[in-house]
Amino acid sequence: MSRIADTFRALKQRGEVALVPFLMAGDPDLETTRQLLLAAADAGADLIEVGVPFSDPTADGPVIQRAGVRALAHGTSLRQILELIAELRRGGLTTPIVLFGYYNPYFHYGPARLAIDAQQAGVDGLLVVDLPPEEADELWQPARAAGLDVIFLLAPTSDRTRIRAVLGKASGFVYFVSMTGVTGSRAIDPTDVAELVGALRTQCRLPIGVGFGISTPEQAAAVAGYADAVVVGSAITRLIESEIGNPGLVRSVGAFMRVLKEATRAPAGGPRHAAGAR
Amino acid sequence: MPALLELDAAYRALRRERAFRRELRDHLREYAGRETPLYLARRLSEQLGGAKIYLKREDLCHTGAHKINNTIGQGLLARRMGKPRIIAETGAGQHGVATATVTALLGMTCEVFMGAEDVQRQSLNVFRMKLLGATVHSVSSGTATLKDAVNEALRDWVTNVRDTYYLVGSTMGPHPYPMMVRDFQSVIGLEARKQIRAREGRLPDLLVACVGGGSNAMGLFHPFLGDPDVAMVGVEAAGEGLESGRHAASISGGRVGVLHGKKTYVLQNELGQISPAHSISAGLDYPGVGPEHAYLHASGRARYVGVTDAEAMEALQKLTATEGIIPALESSHAIAYACHVAPTMRRDQIILVNLSGRGDKDMNTVAQYLGVSL
């Protein structure tokens, strides 16, 4: 069983929902990222999405675009990111880590080599925004063979046929994009999303993470009322951006993640033990 | 993906429909001004002293370039799909103008994404788009050129997918766009084939077209793919020279990669980050190329070469002086290669060049290059 699956099982037993912070690797530099990853674990993050910067991030809004520009400005590479994760694993970090990125840097690295190197570095899963399941085999096969989970996105526009196709390849959890749009574009309407996630549950046995547009602890708590994981990206990235140059950056971001985790520890509608029957 | 699957299904159904084909044909004839002439450039051919050069006059299409062939096709498709809002990316502004033209014609709303750098060098086209009723968004993210305009259009599309049709301007983007754009542009090659046969009683020896995303070249090449004796050369923008690193020649100077939903030759660094493209012609300033061109290159069916800014500029002046035709800077790349190769061919051989657009839009750039202030 993968570390991601184990994490979700343990959370369910505790009646908690996962908090999944997104951190762009190399924003503003890799040393800060190292400290932020430790701070995330310390704040109680259940799984961490580590962003792999790409020059043309078509699914991202301006906040994460700017983070990518900052990371690329000093040449942050996939290899450096894997080295950083390996170093943190040697230091005892056990929080599951998913790489969140675009295909071209992976393609260039070599999908088969990446699967092996990522697994050895201590990465638990890969999420490739611009790689639909029907085109994913050259990465999916070696990744699964290496024991990595491959996480796919589902959108509100995905119909039952599409959902079935995606679930055929998905492992770890599925990432439900809470709206049609790019990361961080606007606040979501929790009731709409709750309905869509409820419909998805009838087809999906994997845990469901919800992201894109969740920026406050209140929203996180609301989403935790129906999702298994709450992903917060742009709000954290915006805070990092505003704190660049401030020696208290890691502390402020850590404090924000802690508040977000509190929100998913006590999801709206009470603890999730009752949901154990599903 | 659901939006692409929907589009693919709609297009496949529609292209078999007789009524749609008639509607498209009528619009191309009565609105775009097809068919365009196939013109024998006598003075140019004689001066070069080799093969006969024919020009397929796409510059005479409504709006001044081949782009209208595709925007009419996709505009009609969007209307059939019930999508009232059209978005498009544009480099030189030709595709933006052609899109805004068609949305004015069909009574749809239009928003065009254009790199901030291109907004500046193509201010006349920006004004034309606005006059046609389009909203023009200046994109300053990334390198502020065509690829960033594509990124921004994609972001808009995923956000407003339910009522919005993304009208892609070249043989790029995810399937079905490259196929669809090729089909709509194939009218160029189909006409040229018929015209050269009527005129010369045979097919040309060589086809030449410029390649940015690759739509005019694919439109010319595709109907000739089954003719083994017809050679094909796609001319990429070599900018300041392939060795300078400042160019837009994805096939000659790039490597295989994945960008904007397609696997093809891409300009990129050793880490797979996309490199900025450079060309004096905004319409070729894209760091990727249509995947079918990548295929034709890999299979050896077509050959791809580079022509520099300086060579294109020289060709523009040469064609203007010898034939009284001012070509677009994009098309001047194809003219430059034809001028280069014609003298090495026999006088009974035929080169067919796609003159994909007219040069009026480039007068500021040309004047600046020649050191003339307007």
Side-chain angles (χ1 to χ4, degrees), chain B residues 249-307:
Chain B
S250 307
I251 293 178
S252 312
R255 279 169 301 167
V256 177
V258 177
L259 175 66
H260 296 145
K262 62 190 187 294
K263 185 175 182 183
T264 184
Y265 293 95
V266 174
L267 299 180
Q268 55 191 320
N269 71 10
E270 66 287 353
L271 299 175
Q273 305 294 346
I274 308 306
S275 310
H278 169 82
S279 169
I280 197 161
S281 63
L284 300 180
D285 213 344
Y286 180 70
V289 64
E292 200 166 350
H293 283 297
Y295 168 73
L296 294 180
H297 168 71
S299 71
R301 179 63 186 92
R303 214 156 59 77
Y304 294 83
V305 300
V307 155

Side-chain angles (χ1 to χ4, degrees), chain A residues 158-182:
Chain A
S158 306
D159 61 12
R160 291 186 76 82
T161 317
R162 182 73 203 154
I163 291 171
R164 205 173 314 125
V166 171
L167 291 178
K169 287 270 164 74
S171 55
F173 68 102
V174 293
Y175 188 138
F176 185 78
V177 176
S178 61
M179 60 191 168
T180 59
V182 294

Side-chain angles (χ1 to χ4, degrees), chain A residues 53-61 65 72 75-78 103-105 107-108 130 132 134 138 156-159 162 180-182 185-186, chain B residues 1-2 5 141-142 147-148 150-152 154-156 158-162 255-260 263 266 268-275:
Chain A
F54 180 51
S55 54
D56 293 77
T58 46
D60 285 306
Q65 285 176 42
L72 289 174
T76 304
S77 69
L78 192 47
Y103 193 53
N104 201 49
F107 176 74
H108 228 72
D130 57 347
E134 46 272 75
E138 72 181 2
T157 48
S158 306
D159 61 12
R162 182 73 203 154
T180 59
V182 294
S185 34
R186 59 174 182 266
Chain B
M1 276 308 285
L5 299 173
S141 61
K147 82 172 172 72
D148 309 284
V150 175
N151 291 344
E152 224 36 59
L154 285 168
R155 290 177 187 127
D156 182 293
V158 301
T159 307
N160 302 298
V161 62
R162 289 185 180 90
R255 279 169 301 167
V256 177
V258 177
L259 175 66
H260 296 145
K263 185 175 182 183
V266 174
Q268 55 191 320
N269 71 10
E270 66 287 353
L271 299 175
Q273 305 294 346
I274 308 306
S275 310

Side-chain angles (χ1 to χ4, degrees), chain B residues 182-318:
Chain B
R182 174 201 73 198
D183 289 354
F184 287 135
Q185 291 295 359
S186 289
V187 65
I188 301 171
L190 290 169
E191 284 179 8
R193 205 184 146 86
K194 200 178 66 181
Q195 289 168 317
I196 196 75
R197 273 201 154 139
R199 185 77 183 261
E200 294 277 350
R202 69 181 187 90
L203 295 177
D205 299 281
L206 174 65
L207 304 177
V208 180
C210 65
V211 176
S215 71
N216 90 78
M218 197 46 73
L220 177 64
F221 292 176
H222 194 255
F224 292 92
L225 286 178
D227 303 307
D229 295 335
V230 179
M232 301 172 183
V233 171
V235 184
E236 297 190 300
E240 294 172 11
L242 288 180
E243 63 294 330
S244 74
R246 283 176 54 78
H247 60 79
S250 307
I251 293 178
S252 312
R255 279 169 301 167
V256 177
V258 177
L259 175 66
H260 296 145
K262 62 190 187 294
K263 185 175 182 183
T264 184
Y265 293 95
V266 174
L267 299 180
Q268 55 191 320
N269 71 10
E270 66 287 353
L271 299 175
Q273 305 294 346
I274 308 306
S275 310
H278 169 82
S279 169
I280 197 161
S281 63
L284 300 180
D285 213 344
Y286 180 70
V289 64
E292 200 166 350
H293 283 297
Y295 168 73
L296 294 180
H297 168 71
S299 71
R301 179 63 186 92
R303 214 156 59 77
Y304 294 83
V305 300
V307 155
T308 63
D309 290 349
E311 290 166 334
M313 202 54 90
E314 194 184 322
L316 180 145
Q317 295 171 75
K318 192 181 187 75

Side-chain angles (χ1 to χ4, degrees), chain A:
Chain A
M1 263 316 199
S2 74
R3 183 148 48 187
I4 293 175
D6 289 345
T7 298
F8 278 105
R9 197 173 312 104
L11 282 162
K12 197 165 166 180
Q13 278 166 7
R14 298 203 300 271
E16 275 182 43
V17 168
L19 172 71
V20 183
F22 165 93
L23 295 167
M24 175 64 81
D27 174 31
D29 53 64
L30 277 168
E31 171 52 26
T32 308
T33 303
R34 191 182 67 80
Q35 295 176 28
L36 284 170
L37 284 165
L38 292 171
D42 195 45
D46 301 289
L47 193 155
I48 305 170
E49 276 185 8
V50 172
V52 177
F54 180 51
S55 54
D56 293 77
T58 46
D60 285 306
V63 173
I64 293 178
Q65 285 176 42
R66 289 197 297 270
V69 168
R70 287 191 293 272
L72 289 174
H74 51 82
T76 304
S77 69
L78 192 47
R79 183 184 306 277
Q80 290 171 342
I81 296 167
L82 294 179
E83 279 167 12
L84 172 66
I85 293 168
E87 183 199 322
L88 288 165
R89 289 288 185 231
R90 284 194 297 273
L93 180 75
T94 57
T95 312
I97 290 177
V98 169
L99 293 184
F100 181 104
Y102 294 80
Y103 193 53
N104 201 49
Y106 297 177
F107 176 74
H108 228 72
Y109 191 97
R113 217 179 95 212
L114 173 67
I116 293 164
D117 291 359
Q119 191 277 333
Q120 282 178 355
V123 170
D124 299 285
L126 302 174
L127 194 167
V128 192
V129 187
D130 57 347
L131 192 65
E134 46 272 75
E135 304 287 343
D137 277 357
E138 72 181 2
L139 179 63
W140 186 82
Q141 284 174 348
R144 294 302 288 147
L148 295 173
D149 284 322
V150 182
I151 291 106
F152 289 102
L153 300 170
L154 281 170
T157 48
S158 306
D159 61 12
R160 291 186 76 82
T161 317
R162 182 73 203 154
I163 291 171
R164 205 173 314 125
V166 171
L167 291 178
K169 287 270 164 74
S171 55
F173 68 102
V174 293
Y175 188 138
F176 185 78
V177 176
S178 61
M179 60 191 168
T180 59
V182 294
T183 53
S185 34
R186 59 174 182 266
I188 61 169
D189 178 346
T191 46
D192 285 0
V193 185
E195 253 173 58
L196 290 164
V197 170
L200 178 57
R201 285 226 191 271
T202 63
Q203 268 186 282
C204 175
R205 284 197 316 234
L206 289 171
I208 300 172
V210 173
F212 282 40
I214 302 163
S215 59
T216 65
E218 294 71 32
Q219 286 169 337
V223 172
Y226 52 83
D228 302 304
V230 178
V231 187
V232 182
S234 297
I236 292 172
T237 307
R238 196 180 296 116
L239 180 60
I240 293 171
E241 183 171 56
S242 71
E243 295 277 323
I244 287 174
N246 179 349
L249 183 152
V250 175
R251 201 164 354 107
S252 324
V253 176
F256 182 50
M257 290 190 284
R258 197 176 297 278
V259 177
L260 290 169
K261 178 57 214 176
E262 282 313 314
T264 68
R265 198 165 271 142
R272 293 285 294 280
H273 294 288
R278 81 166 176 266

